[in-house]
Amino acid sequence: MKTKIAIACQGGGSQTAFTAGVLHALFEAGIQDDFDIVSLSGTSGGAVCAALVWYAMKKGEQPVWTRLLDFWKDNTVQSADEQFFNDWVVHWVRAINSGNWPSLQLSPASSTLQTMMGYLSVGKRKTFMDFAELLKTHIDFDEIASWGPVPEKPVLVLGAANVLTGKLRKFVSSKEAIQVEHILASCAVPSIFPAVEIGKEAYWDGLFSDNPPVDELIRPIFVGPENLPEEIWLIKINPTARATIPTQPNDIIDRRNQLEGNVSLFQQLTHLELLNDLFLADAFKKEYLNKLGIRKTVRIPKSFNDDVDKPYHIPCIEMSAELQKTLDYEGKIDRGSRNIDILINDGRQQARAFLDARTPALGG
């Protein structure tokens, strides 16, 4: 039987072009034929990538990655006006974060900023300036609404945070039809986008919730007992370690963003490590596991680089060390073709290396 896998995609703005490269290479290598993909999860930019692949799989599109790459092409600078706007925003934010330019605090929901963005949008594609329009161009949400909840694999799980209640929120395709607002909510960085209102609730970026959702992928209540993975493949954007102590304002902001992007993930992995220890100690009665719908255990290393078999296995696909050294916080808003192309190509390379190493590491 095929190994059941889930793919979890961490958020990180434009840097999740790396995730697009990873997914392209994985599907190009035929993982959909070699593995049983039971679920996909994502936060922010990772939610976008996961949703595009999920939608293509649900529609039976071949190749699976075409829609994903088309999205990123559309999201990348394509004209001199767009290049000027992109570079101006990146350099402006970089100057503020380095302390070389005063910060102008404007609410993303303010009429002043909305008027300013309307003026700046002149001469540029609507899909480049309007994120909701970009999503709707590449995903037919009316079609998804006609499907309703879809319990069949793969299940899509998107993370967001409820601004009003402070509770975590998961939008799950097996429970409700995925809406454009669900993805917008997962991507709503408070300093860039206004809170996304859905019904009487309002949501911010899934960074405050799960980055990306992992716990839910092993819980039958979310994905169904038949869709529990044997492996969770994590596509990680934020680096774990740093070689030097940050002292400059922009370096401090960059490192703080990296740590914030990883904290929820590490908490979930700590939880799974505890489950590992309990499984290995036979701490659960079979009757209890059967009641939860857990009839099979899988493997996880204690750390990303640990090959010791455990009940849950979460291998990690990360950017090359060389690329990580060149990136900063402002790179997460850079949609220039050079930045996007470098990220996508590195994602392809790291995915191919991951697949090459996987077979000998896991014994076939």
Side-chain angles (χ1 to χ4, degrees), residues 105-154:
Q105 298 293 339
L106 286 175
S107 165
S110 69
S111 58
T112 300
L113 186 59
Q114 298 303 317
T115 301
M116 183 187 303
M117 291 304 296
Y119 173 77
L120 292 172
S121 296
V122 175
K124 304 169 188 67
R125 291 170 297 127
K126 188 173 183 180
T127 52
F128 185 76
M129 299 300 294
D130 187 331
F131 187 49
E133 187 69 21
L134 176 64
L135 289 170
K136 292 176 183 177
T137 298
H138 295 276
I139 298 177
D140 187 342
F141 291 96
D142 289 335
E143 179 184 20
I144 295 176
S146 71
W147 298 346
V150 185
E152 294 81 20
K153 63 185 176 183

Short mmCIF file of all heavy atoms in Angstrom, two decimals, residues 105-154:
data_model
loop_
_atom_site.label_atom_id
_atom_site.label_comp_id
_atom_site.label_asym_id
_atom_site.label_seq_id
_atom_site.Cartn_x
_atom_site.Cartn_y
_atom_site.Cartn_z
N GLN A 105 2.67 55.76 10.50
CA GLN A 105 1.72 54.76 10.96
C GLN A 105 0.33 55.04 10.38
O GLN A 105 -0.31 56.02 10.73
CB GLN A 105 1.66 54.73 12.49
CG GLN A 105 2.96 54.36 13.16
CD GLN A 105 3.35 52.91 12.91
OE1 GLN A 105 2.51 52.09 12.56
NE2 GLN A 105 4.63 52.59 13.05
N LEU A 106 -0.10 54.16 9.46
CA LEU A 106 -1.42 54.26 8.88
C LEU A 106 -2.14 52.93 9.01
O LEU A 106 -1.54 51.88 8.76
CB LEU A 106 -1.35 54.64 7.40
CG LEU A 106 -0.99 56.09 7.04
CD1 LEU A 106 -0.84 56.22 5.53
CD2 LEU A 106 -2.03 57.06 7.57
N SER A 107 -3.39 52.97 9.40
CA SER A 107 -4.17 51.73 9.47
C SER A 107 -4.43 51.21 8.06
O SER A 107 -4.76 51.98 7.16
CB SER A 107 -5.50 51.99 10.17
OG SER A 107 -6.39 50.91 9.95
N PRO A 108 -4.28 49.90 7.85
CA PRO A 108 -4.61 49.33 6.54
C PRO A 108 -6.05 49.56 6.14
O PRO A 108 -6.39 49.50 4.96
CB PRO A 108 -4.33 47.83 6.73
CG PRO A 108 -3.39 47.76 7.88
CD PRO A 108 -3.76 48.90 8.78
N ALA A 109 -6.92 49.82 7.12
CA ALA A 109 -8.34 50.05 6.84
C ALA A 109 -8.67 51.53 6.66
O ALA A 109 -9.82 51.87 6.38
CB ALA A 109 -9.19 49.47 7.97
N SER A 110 -7.67 52.42 6.78
CA SER A 110 -7.93 53.85 6.73
C SER A 110 -8.26 54.31 5.32
O SER A 110 -7.75 53.78 4.33
CB SER A 110 -6.73 54.64 7.26
OG SER A 110 -5.64 54.54 6.35
N SER A 111 -9.10 55.32 5.22
CA SER A 111 -9.46 55.88 3.91
C SER A 111 -8.26 56.53 3.25
O SER A 111 -8.13 56.54 2.03
CB SER A 111 -10.60 56.90 4.07
OG SER A 111 -10.22 57.93 4.96
N THR A 112 -7.34 57.07 4.07
CA THR A 112 -6.14 57.70 3.53
C THR A 112 -5.30 56.69 2.77
O THR A 112 -4.86 56.94 1.64
CB THR A 112 -5.30 58.32 4.66
OG1 THR A 112 -6.07 59.30 5.34
CG2 THR A 112 -4.03 58.96 4.11
N LEU A 113 -5.08 55.52 3.39
CA LEU A 113 -4.28 54.50 2.74
C LEU A 113 -5.01 53.93 1.53
O LEU A 113 -4.38 53.65 0.49
CB LEU A 113 -3.95 53.38 3.73
CG LEU A 113 -2.99 52.31 3.20
CD1 LEU A 113 -1.65 52.93 2.80
CD2 LEU A 113 -2.75 51.22 4.24
N GLN A 114 -6.32 53.76 1.63
CA GLN A 114 -7.08 53.24 0.50
C GLN A 114 -7.01 54.19 -0.69
O GLN A 114 -6.86 53.76 -1.84
CB GLN A 114 -8.55 53.02 0.91
CG GLN A 114 -8.75 52.01 2.03
CD GLN A 114 -8.18 50.63 1.69
OE1 GLN A 114 -8.34 50.14 0.58
NE2 GLN A 114 -7.50 50.03 2.65
N THR A 115 -7.09 55.49 -0.43
CA THR A 115 -6.97 56.48 -1.50
C THR A 115 -5.57 56.44 -2.11
O THR A 115 -5.40 56.51 -3.34
CB THR A 115 -7.26 57.90 -0.95
OG1 THR A 115 -8.58 57.92 -0.41
CG2 THR A 115 -7.13 58.93 -2.05
N MET A 116 -4.56 56.33 -1.24
CA MET A 116 -3.19 56.27 -1.71
C MET A 116 -2.97 55.05 -2.60
O MET A 116 -2.35 55.14 -3.67
CB MET A 116 -2.23 56.21 -0.51
CG MET A 116 -0.75 56.22 -0.88
SD MET A 116 0.31 55.96 0.57
CE MET A 116 -0.23 57.32 1.62
N MET A 117 -3.48 53.89 -2.18
CA MET A 117 -3.32 52.67 -2.97
C MET A 117 -4.06 52.77 -4.29
O MET A 117 -3.61 52.25 -5.31
CB MET A 117 -3.81 51.46 -2.16
CG MET A 117 -2.93 51.12 -0.97
SD MET A 117 -1.21 50.83 -1.42
CE MET A 117 -1.39 49.37 -2.46
N GLY A 118 -5.22 53.44 -4.29
CA GLY A 118 -5.95 53.63 -5.54
C GLY A 118 -5.13 54.45 -6.53
O GLY A 118 -5.09 54.14 -7.73
N TYR A 119 -4.47 55.47 -6.04
CA TYR A 119 -3.61 56.30 -6.89
C TYR A 119 -2.41 55.49 -7.40
O TYR A 119 -2.06 55.55 -8.59
CB TYR A 119 -3.13 57.51 -6.10
CG TYR A 119 -2.10 58.35 -6.84
CD1 TYR A 119 -2.48 59.21 -7.87
CD2 TYR A 119 -0.75 58.28 -6.49
CE1 TYR A 119 -1.54 59.98 -8.54
CE2 TYR A 119 0.19 59.04 -7.16
CZ TYR A 119 -0.21 59.89 -8.18
OH TYR A 119 0.74 60.63 -8.85
N LEU A 120 -1.81 54.72 -6.51
CA LEU A 120 -0.62 53.94 -6.89
C LEU A 120 -0.97 52.80 -7.84
O LEU A 120 -0.08 52.27 -8.52
CB LEU A 120 0.06 53.38 -5.64
CG LEU A 120 0.71 54.42 -4.71
CD1 LEU A 120 1.16 53.76 -3.41
CD2 LEU A 120 1.89 55.11 -5.40
N SER A 121 -2.24 52.39 -7.88
CA SER A 121 -2.65 51.27 -8.73
C SER A 121 -2.73 51.64 -10.21
O SER A 121 -2.79 50.74 -11.06
CB SER A 121 -4.01 50.73 -8.27
OG SER A 121 -3.93 50.19 -6.97
N VAL A 122 -2.74 52.92 -10.51
CA VAL A 122 -2.86 53.37 -11.91
C VAL A 122 -1.68 52.83 -12.73
O VAL A 122 -0.52 52.94 -12.34
CB VAL A 122 -2.90 54.90 -11.99
CG1 VAL A 122 -2.90 55.35 -13.45
CG2 VAL A 122 -4.11 55.44 -11.24
N GLY A 123 -2.00 52.20 -13.87
CA GLY A 123 -0.97 51.69 -14.76
C GLY A 123 -0.48 50.30 -14.43
O GLY A 123 0.45 49.80 -15.08
N LYS A 124 -1.09 49.67 -13.43
CA LYS A 124 -0.66 48.34 -13.02
C LYS A 124 -1.83 47.35 -13.14
O LYS A 124 -2.99 47.74 -13.08
CB LYS A 124 -0.15 48.37 -11.58
CG LYS A 124 0.98 49.38 -11.38
CD LYS A 124 1.29 49.59 -9.91
CE LYS A 124 2.27 50.74 -9.74
NZ LYS A 124 1.68 52.05 -10.11
N ARG A 125 -1.51 46.08 -13.30
CA ARG A 125 -2.54 45.06 -13.41
C ARG A 125 -3.34 44.97 -12.11
O ARG A 125 -2.78 45.07 -11.03
CB ARG A 125 -1.91 43.70 -13.72
CG ARG A 125 -1.30 43.57 -15.10
CD ARG A 125 -0.49 42.27 -15.21
NE ARG A 125 0.62 42.26 -14.28
CZ ARG A 125 0.87 41.30 -13.41
NH1 ARG A 125 0.05 40.26 -13.32
NH2 ARG A 125 1.90 41.37 -12.60
N LYS A 126 -4.64 44.74 -12.25
CA LYS A 126 -5.48 44.61 -11.06
C LYS A 126 -5.07 43.41 -10.24
O LYS A 126 -5.09 43.44 -9.00
CB LYS A 126 -6.96 44.49 -11.46
CG LYS A 126 -7.90 44.56 -10.26
CD LYS A 126 -9.36 44.61 -10.68
CE LYS A 126 -10.27 44.74 -9.46
NZ LYS A 126 -11.70 44.79 -9.84
N THR A 127 -4.66 42.34 -10.91
CA THR A 127 -4.24 41.13 -10.18
C THR A 127 -2.93 41.34 -9.44
O THR A 127 -2.61 40.57 -8.53
CB THR A 127 -4.10 39.94 -11.13
OG1 THR A 127 -3.24 40.30 -12.23
CG2 THR A 127 -5.43 39.49 -11.66
N PHE A 128 -2.16 42.37 -9.80
CA PHE A 128 -0.92 42.66 -9.08
C PHE A 128 -1.17 43.51 -7.85
O PHE A 128 -0.46 43.39 -6.86
CB PHE A 128 0.07 43.39 -10.01
CG PHE A 128 1.43 43.61 -9.41
CD1 PHE A 128 2.34 42.58 -9.28
CD2 PHE A 128 1.80 44.88 -8.97
CE1 PHE A 128 3.58 42.78 -8.72
CE2 PHE A 128 3.05 45.10 -8.40
CZ PHE A 128 3.95 44.05 -8.28
N MET A 129 -2.22 44.34 -7.90
CA MET A 129 -2.50 45.26 -6.81
C MET A 129 -3.62 44.80 -5.89
O MET A 129 -3.72 45.26 -4.76
CB MET A 129 -2.86 46.63 -7.39
CG MET A 129 -1.76 47.26 -8.23
SD MET A 129 -0.23 47.55 -7.31
CE MET A 129 -0.76 48.81 -6.15
N ASP A 130 -4.48 43.91 -6.36
CA ASP A 130 -5.65 43.47 -5.59
C ASP A 130 -5.51 41.97 -5.32
O ASP A 130 -5.71 41.14 -6.21
CB ASP A 130 -6.92 43.76 -6.37
CG ASP A 130 -8.19 43.49 -5.57
OD1 ASP A 130 -8.17 42.61 -4.69
OD2 ASP A 130 -9.21 44.15 -5.84
N PHE A 131 -5.15 41.62 -4.09
CA PHE A 131 -4.86 40.23 -3.75
C PHE A 131 -6.09 39.34 -3.91
O PHE A 131 -5.99 38.20 -4.39
CB PHE A 131 -4.31 40.14 -2.33
CG PHE A 131 -3.82 38.77 -1.95
CD1 PHE A 131 -2.96 38.08 -2.77
CD2 PHE A 131 -4.22 38.18 -0.76
CE1 PHE A 131 -2.50 36.81 -2.43
CE2 PHE A 131 -3.76 36.93 -0.40
CZ PHE A 131 -2.91 36.24 -1.24
N ALA A 132 -7.25 39.83 -3.52
CA ALA A 132 -8.48 39.04 -3.67
C ALA A 132 -8.74 38.75 -5.14
O ALA A 132 -9.13 37.64 -5.50
CB ALA A 132 -9.66 39.77 -3.04
N GLU A 133 -8.54 39.74 -6.00
CA GLU A 133 -8.75 39.55 -7.43
C GLU A 133 -7.76 38.52 -7.98
O GLU A 133 -8.10 37.71 -8.84
CB GLU A 133 -8.57 40.89 -8.15
CG GLU A 133 -8.91 40.84 -9.63
CD GLU A 133 -10.39 40.65 -9.89
OE1 GLU A 133 -11.20 40.95 -8.98
OE2 GLU A 133 -10.75 40.21 -11.00
N LEU A 134 -6.53 38.55 -7.48
CA LEU A 134 -5.52 37.58 -7.91
C LEU A 134 -5.96 36.16 -7.57
O LEU A 134 -5.87 35.25 -8.40
CB LEU A 134 -4.18 37.90 -7.25
CG LEU A 134 -3.02 36.93 -7.50
CD1 LEU A 134 -2.65 36.91 -8.98
CD2 LEU A 134 -1.82 37.31 -6.65
N LEU A 135 -6.44 35.97 -6.35
CA LEU A 135 -6.91 34.64 -5.94
C LEU A 135 -8.09 34.17 -6.78
O LEU A 135 -8.14 33.02 -7.22
CB LEU A 135 -7.29 34.66 -4.46
CG LEU A 135 -6.14 34.77 -3.45
CD1 LEU A 135 -6.69 35.03 -2.05
CD2 LEU A 135 -5.28 33.51 -3.45
N LYS A 136 -9.04 35.07 -7.01
CA LYS A 136 -10.23 34.71 -7.78
C LYS A 136 -9.90 34.39 -9.23
O LYS A 136 -10.62 33.64 -9.89
CB LYS A 136 -11.26 35.84 -7.71
CG LYS A 136 -11.87 36.05 -6.33
CD LYS A 136 -12.79 37.25 -6.33
CE LYS A 136 -13.35 37.53 -4.95
NZ LYS A 136 -14.21 38.75 -4.93
N THR A 137 -8.82 34.95 -9.73
CA THR A 137 -8.40 34.67 -11.10
C THR A 137 -7.92 33.24 -11.26
O THR A 137 -8.08 32.63 -12.32
CB THR A 137 -7.28 35.65 -11.54
OG1 THR A 137 -7.80 36.98 -11.49
CG2 THR A 137 -6.79 35.35 -12.95
N HIS A 138 -7.35 32.69 -10.19
CA HIS A 138 -6.74 31.37 -10.28
C HIS A 138 -7.51 30.27 -9.56
O HIS A 138 -7.17 29.09 -9.70
CB HIS A 138 -5.30 31.44 -9.76
CG HIS A 138 -4.43 32.32 -10.62
ND1 HIS A 138 -3.81 31.85 -11.76
CD2 HIS A 138 -4.12 33.63 -10.52
CE1 HIS A 138 -3.13 32.84 -12.32
NE2 HIS A 138 -3.31 33.93 -11.59
N ILE A 139 -8.53 30.64 -8.80
CA ILE A 139 -9.38 29.66 -8.14
C ILE A 139 -10.84 30.09 -8.33
O ILE A 139 -11.19 31.23 -8.02
CB ILE A 139 -9.07 29.55 -6.63
CG1 ILE A 139 -7.63 29.08 -6.40
CG2 ILE A 139 -10.05 28.59 -5.95
CD1 ILE A 139 -7.24 29.01 -4.93
N ASP A 140 -11.68 29.19 -8.82
CA ASP A 140 -13.10 29.48 -9.01
C ASP A 140 -13.83 29.15 -7.71
O ASP A 140 -14.21 28.00 -7.47
CB ASP A 140 -13.65 28.66 -10.17
CG ASP A 140 -15.09 29.03 -10.52
OD1 ASP A 140 -15.76 29.66 -9.68
OD2 ASP A 140 -15.54 28.68 -11.62
N PHE A 141 -14.02 30.14 -6.87
CA PHE A 141 -14.64 29.91 -5.57
C PHE A 141 -16.14 29.62 -5.69
O PHE A 141 -16.71 28.99 -4.79
CB PHE A 141 -14.37 31.10 -4.64
CG PHE A 141 -12.93 31.21 -4.23
CD1 PHE A 141 -12.06 32.06 -4.91
CD2 PHE A 141 -12.42 30.45 -3.19
CE1 PHE A 141 -10.73 32.16 -4.55
CE2 PHE A 141 -11.10 30.53 -2.82
CZ PHE A 141 -10.23 31.39 -3.50
N ASP A 142 -16.77 30.07 -6.77
CA ASP A 142 -18.17 29.70 -7.00
C ASP A 142 -18.27 28.20 -7.26
O ASP A 142 -19.22 27.53 -6.79
CB ASP A 142 -18.74 30.47 -8.19
CG ASP A 142 -18.93 31.96 -7.88
OD1 ASP A 142 -19.09 32.28 -6.69
OD2 ASP A 142 -18.93 32.77 -8.82
N GLU A 143 -17.32 27.66 -7.99
CA GLU A 143 -17.30 26.22 -8.23
C GLU A 143 -17.12 25.46 -6.92
O GLU A 143 -17.81 24.47 -6.66
CB GLU A 143 -16.19 25.86 -9.21
CG GLU A 143 -16.10 24.36 -9.50
CD GLU A 143 -14.93 24.01 -10.41
OE1 GLU A 143 -13.98 24.80 -10.52
OE2 GLU A 143 -14.97 22.91 -10.99
N ILE A 144 -16.19 25.93 -6.09
CA ILE A 144 -15.96 25.28 -4.79
C ILE A 144 -17.22 25.35 -3.93
O ILE A 144 -17.56 24.39 -3.24
CB ILE A 144 -14.76 25.92 -4.08
CG1 ILE A 144 -13.47 25.67 -4.87
CG2 ILE A 144 -14.62 25.38 -2.66
CD1 ILE A 144 -12.24 26.35 -4.28
N ALA A 145 -17.91 26.49 -3.98
CA ALA A 145 -19.15 26.63 -3.20
C ALA A 145 -20.19 25.61 -3.64
O ALA A 145 -20.95 25.08 -2.82
CB ALA A 145 -19.70 28.05 -3.35
N SER A 146 -20.20 25.29 -4.94
CA SER A 146 -21.16 24.30 -5.44
C SER A 146 -20.82 22.90 -4.95
O SER A 146 -21.69 22.03 -4.88
CB SER A 146 -21.18 24.32 -6.97
OG SER A 146 -19.99 23.77 -7.52
N TRP A 147 -19.55 22.67 -4.60
CA TRP A 147 -19.15 21.35 -4.06
C TRP A 147 -19.66 21.17 -2.64
O TRP A 147 -19.97 20.05 -2.23
CB TRP A 147 -17.64 21.21 -4.04
CG TRP A 147 -16.95 21.27 -5.37
CD1 TRP A 147 -17.54 21.16 -6.60
CD2 TRP A 147 -15.55 21.45 -5.62
NE1 TRP A 147 -16.59 21.28 -7.59
CE2 TRP A 147 -15.37 21.44 -7.02
CE3 TRP A 147 -14.45 21.61 -4.80
CZ2 TRP A 147 -14.11 21.60 -7.60
CZ3 TRP A 147 -13.20 21.77 -5.37
CH2 TRP A 147 -13.03 21.77 -6.76
N GLY A 148 -19.67 22.28 -1.86
CA GLY A 148 -19.98 22.17 -0.45
C GLY A 148 -18.81 21.54 0.29
O GLY A 148 -17.69 21.46 -0.23
N PRO A 149 -19.05 21.05 1.52
CA PRO A 149 -17.98 20.34 2.23
C PRO A 149 -17.56 19.09 1.45
O PRO A 149 -18.39 18.37 0.93
CB PRO A 149 -18.63 19.97 3.57
CG PRO A 149 -19.78 20.91 3.70
CD PRO A 149 -20.27 21.18 2.31
N VAL A 150 -16.23 18.85 1.39
CA VAL A 150 -15.71 17.71 0.64
C VAL A 150 -14.87 16.85 1.58
O VAL A 150 -13.70 17.16 1.84
CB VAL A 150 -14.86 18.17 -0.56
CG1 VAL A 150 -14.42 16.97 -1.39
CG2 VAL A 150 -15.61 19.17 -1.42
N PRO A 151 -15.44 15.78 2.12
CA PRO A 151 -14.69 14.96 3.09
C PRO A 151 -13.62 14.09 2.45
O PRO A 151 -12.72 13.60 3.14
CB PRO A 151 -15.79 14.10 3.73
CG PRO A 151 -16.85 14.02 2.68
CD PRO A 151 -16.82 15.33 1.96
N GLU A 152 -13.70 13.88 1.12
CA GLU A 152 -12.74 12.99 0.47
C GLU A 152 -11.36 13.64 0.41
O GLU A 152 -11.22 14.86 0.31
CB GLU A 152 -13.22 12.65 -0.95
CG GLU A 152 -14.51 11.83 -1.01
CD GLU A 152 -15.73 12.68 -0.83
OE1 GLU A 152 -15.64 13.91 -1.04
OE2 GLU A 152 -16.80 12.12 -0.48
N LYS A 153 -10.33 12.81 0.40
CA LYS A 153 -8.95 13.29 0.31
C LYS A 153 -8.68 13.93 -1.04
O LYS A 153 -9.35 13.59 -2.03
CB LYS A 153 -7.98 12.11 0.53
CG LYS A 153 -8.10 11.02 -0.53
CD LYS A 153 -7.22 9.84 -0.21
CE LYS A 153 -7.45 8.73 -1.26
NZ LYS A 153 -6.67 7.53 -0.98
N PRO A 154 -7.71 14.87 -1.06
CA PRO A 154 -7.03 15.42 0.11
C PRO A 154 -7.89 16.48 0.79
O PRO A 154 -8.65 17.20 0.14
CB PRO A 154 -5.77 16.05 -0.49
CG PRO A 154 -6.18 16.45 -1.87
CD PRO A 154 -7.15 15.42 -2.33
#
